[in-house]
Amino acid sequence: MREIIADWSPEIVIHLAAQAGVRYSMENPAAYLSSNLIGTQTLLEELKGSGVRHILIASTSSTYGGNAFLPFQELHPTHQPMSLYAATKIGMEALAHSYSHLWDLPTTCFRFFTVYGPWGRPDMALFKFVNAIERDEPIDVYGYGRMMRDFTYIDDLVHAVERLTETAPARGERIGAHDSLSTIAPYRVVNIGGGQPVQLLDFIDAVEQALGKNARRNMLPMQPGDVVATSADARLLRDLIGIIPSTPVDLGVAKFVEWFLPYRHARSGEALLAG
Ligand SMILES: NC(=O)c1ccc[n+]([C@@H]2O[C@H](COP(=O)([O-])OP(=O)(O)OC[C@H]3O[C@@H](n4cnc5c(N)ncnc54)[C@H](O)[C@@H]3O)[C@@H](O)[C@H]2O)c1
């Protein structure tokens, strides 16, 4: 890390690396401490005094945990994490704030809301749904499908991240009553979500529509660590960059399927060739 920063003298650093995923954090919590806390601290330690103009770090809507107020606002408390993943991300935000304060590092932590789309993580529900429906296998529908998620299409997220690189926080420059800017550091958190939550059952309907095939649904209770609903208050994001994620799930899911089916086909061909 030291060599990379010395060689490149980055002006803007977008830190997305993490051990992600709520469920796996019950199986292997140490991986989360290592990547999300030690990994982030290693980066920040090397960035202090480097002259970096803006550090942007991926956090998550899971930080809101047991907060019962919807939509989630950046100023809502985050002291009731419901998963070890969320706990490490809250810790990561705290580390970033301390570094920002002590070393005058302009820092933005994004809280992403259920991102989906091409090149996503294969452990995410959309991959599992498409694979299973294609093969006429049942899909596991947790929370009996009543969970609500503020799904964010990847292109909207990338666009927001790009635009946010130009909005480095500065001490004392609040942009409104709902700005999460720290009172002591050039640091803010910002939700990246459109504030249009969709029920899981409707999301599955969109998958069925995109595939032209019905799912066999295995209805199950909520899993430990899962929250009932997420929804982003997107006012701060809108004030900062002028736009918010808006791709509807039927369009986003259709684009995912358009990418995924040929991709999976190509991968299975490669696997066959590799023997
Ligand atoms: N996908 C979502 O819905 C979602 C939601 C909220 C937050 N996030 C956050 O967004 C970021 C990206 O998530 P993603 O879904 O693309 O996950 P991902 O697993 O596809 O990407 C994370 C990357 O980080 C790398 N990584 C992990 N530990 C590392 C380490 N110690 N050193 C170097 N690299 C390491 C992994 O190899 C992987 O390539 C993460 O910070 C995640 O917590 C994602």
Side-chain angles (χ1 to χ4, degrees):
M1 195 69 77
R2 185 166 298 165
E3 271 174 32
I4 291 168
I5 290 165
D7 286 355
W8 288 82
S9 305
E11 291 180 17
I12 294 173
V13 173
I14 304 175
H15 168 37
L16 302 172
Q19 178 59 60
V22 168
R23 302 206 175 113
Y24 183 59
S25 67
M26 286 174 72
E27 277 175 51
N28 188 1
Y32 290 73
L33 296 172
S34 166
S35 288
N36 303 352
L37 293 175
I38 297 173
T40 300
Q41 187 269 334
T42 304
L43 173 67
L44 293 171
E45 186 64 27
E46 296 306 328
L47 285 173
K48 73 185 194 193
S50 71
V52 66
R53 278 201 294 120
H54 193 182
I55 305 170
L56 302 104
I57 302 180
S59 187
T60 168
S61 60
S62 299
T63 54
Y64 292 107
N67 168 37
F69 302 105
L70 286 171
F72 295 157
Q73 293 175 18
E74 291 86 349
L75 291 169
H76 282 162
T78 54
H79 60 281
Q80 302 192 105
M82 292 175 71
S83 66
L84 296 162
Y85 167 58
T88 58
K89 286 289 188 175
I90 294 168
M92 184 199 74
E93 289 184 1
L95 281 171
H97 183 275
S98 315
Y99 270 93
S100 169
H101 170 61
L102 292 169
W103 297 94
D104 214 14
L105 295 169
T107 303
T108 299
C109 280
F110 325 112
R111 292 192 181 141
F112 294 163
F113 283 68
T114 318
V115 187
Y116 72 102
W119 302 104
R121 285 205 328 275
D123 62 303
M124 292 191 72
L126 185 52
F127 283 76
K128 293 181 183 165
F129 289 164
V130 173
N131 271 324
I133 296 170
E134 277 275 287
R135 294 179 183 138
D136 287 321
E137 289 167 6
I139 57 169
D140 288 340
V141 183
Y142 294 106
Y144 305 105
R146 290 195 290 268
M147 286 190 289
M148 307 277 291
R149 288 289 177 273
D150 199 346
F151 291 99
T152 309
Y153 187 64
I154 184 66
D155 291 5
D156 293 340
L157 176 121
V158 170
H159 195 55
V161 168
E162 277 177 356
R163 298 283 289 270
L164 283 168
T165 59
E166 299 309 322
T167 63
R171 277 194 176 88
E173 292 186 9
R174 277 165 82 81
I175 61 160
H178 50 273
D179 191 354
S180 63
L181 185 71
S182 165
T183 54
I184 56 167
Y187 171 96
R188 70 160 58 91
V189 290
V190 55
N191 290 336
I192 302 190
Q196 300 288 328
V198 170
Q199 212 177 36
L200 185 55
L201 290 177
D202 294 329
F203 190 73
I204 294 169
D205 287 348
V207 181
E208 289 179 333
Q209 212 179 335
L211 289 172
K213 212 168 170 186
N214 286 339
R216 289 165 50 206
R217 300 168 185 212
N218 185 20
M219 305 305 261
L220 295 167
M222 293 267 293
Q223 290 212 308
D226 264 348
V227 299
V228 178
T230 67
S231 175
D233 184 323
R235 284 177 299 169
L236 178 56
L237 181 64
R238 192 193 297 275
D239 288 352
L240 286 167
I241 64 170
I243 47 152
I244 60 172
S246 61
T247 302
V249 288
D250 49 352
L251 180 60
V253 166
K255 284 183 171 184
F256 172 82
V257 167
E258 204 176 293
W259 164 79
F260 181 65
L261 296 182
Y263 170 78
R264 194 186 55 184
H265 185 69
R267 289 298 296 265
S268 56
E270 278 168 26
L272 279 176
L273 285 174

